[in-house]
Amino acid sequence: MEGINLLQINIIDTMEINKLKISQLLILLILCTNLTGQTMYVRPISGSQSAFVVSTIQKLTFTNGFLTVTNTTGDNGTFALSNNRYINFADLTLGTTIQELQLDKFYVYPNPTTTLLNVANDCKGASLLHIEIITLEGCVLMKQYLPQVDTSSLPKGIYFCRITTSTNSQIIKFLKQ
C-alpha cells in the first residue's frame, strides 16, 4: 500500500509541477508582450474561440485539469486543458472577413472546407493563371488552372492557396476539415 501512495504522490507532484510550468510560461508571455492591445485566445477542439484582453486578466488558475481565466470585465472562462486546441496570443481563426474582400484581391470559400475550395475575385480585370495548394512546410501538393480545387484527397490540416495572376501572386491560408 505504501508504494501505491508514493506513486500517487509522485503523479500528483508531477501534475502540480506541470501546471506550475504552464502557468509560469503564460504569465511570462503576458508580461513579455507588454502591449496594450494584446489578446489571449483560447480555442477548444470543438466550439468557438474565446478572447481575453491581456490587460484585463487578473488571474490564470490551473486546477484539476482546467484553466480558469479571471478578469476585471467579469467575462471569465473555464476550459478543460485536455479539450483545448490552443492557447495563443495571435488570432489563428481562418474565416474570410469583409475587410479582405478588396479589389484586386482574391479570396477562398468555404473556409474551412471539406471537399471543394473556390477561388474568387471581385475585380474582373485580374485573370487567373494558376492555383497551387501548399503545405505549411512549403511543399506544393497541387497545381491547377481552374478557380475550383478538389481538396477531398488532402488530410485534415492547415494549407496555403497561392493564386497567381498575370500581374501578381497572393497567398491565402485555409483549413481542410
Side-chain angles (χ1 to χ4, degrees):
M1 292 296 244
E2 291 176 16
I4 293 174
N5 289 337
L6 288 175
L7 178 62
Q8 289 173 340
I9 290 170
N10 286 337
I11 291 171
I12 291 170
D13 288 346
T14 303
M15 289 173 60
E16 291 300 318
I17 289 169
N18 287 337
K19 284 189 243 178
L20 183 61
K21 287 179 184 177
I22 292 170
S23 62
Q24 288 173 339
L25 177 63
L26 282 173
I27 291 168
L28 179 64
L29 286 170
I30 289 170
L31 293 174
C32 287
T33 56
N34 197 20
L35 299 173
T36 56
Q38 186 69 42
T39 304
M40 181 179 83
Y41 299 93
V42 181
R43 173 81 187 259
I45 292 171
S46 63
S48 59
Q49 174 174 281
S50 298
F52 301 94
V53 177
V54 171
S55 61
T56 66
I57 295 176
Q58 291 177 316
K59 180 170 58 169
L60 297 173
T61 309
F62 296 88
T63 55
N64 300 324
F66 288 89
L67 162 66
T68 303
V69 180
T70 308
N71 62 22
T72 58
T73 63
D75 185 26
N76 303 327
T78 301
F79 308 93
L81 292 174
S82 62
N83 194 35
N84 275 335
R85 182 174 295 172
Y86 60 76
I87 300 171
N88 208 327
F89 291 89
D91 188 359
L92 300 177
T93 56
L94 299 172
T96 303
T97 63
I98 298 299
Q99 293 83 7
E100 292 172 339
L101 306 179
Q102 300 170 359
L103 288 178
D104 296 332
K105 292 229 177 187
F106 285 87
Y107 55 97
V108 296
Y109 67 93
N111 192 3
T113 187
T114 54
T115 54
L116 293 177
L117 183 70
N118 298 290
V119 177
N121 183 345
D122 289 338
C123 179
K124 303 298 182 208
S127 60
L128 177 70
L129 289 181
H130 64 268
I131 298 170
E132 295 170 304
I133 303 301
I134 305 169
T135 66
L136 291 176
E137 293 81 22
C139 298
V140 176
L141 299 178
M142 299 179 193
K143 181 176 182 178
Q144 69 175 55
Y145 304 93
L146 300 172
Q148 191 175 62
V149 180
D150 182 5
T151 61
S152 59
S153 64
L154 294 175
K156 294 179 179 180
I158 298 174
Y159 296 90
F160 296 108
C161 178
R162 180 169 36 207
I163 303 156
T164 304
T165 69
S166 56
T167 57
N168 65 15
S169 180
Q170 180 182 346
I171 298 175
I172 301 173
K173 182 171 40 173
F174 73 93
L175 176 66
K176 165 63 168 61
Q177 290 185 329

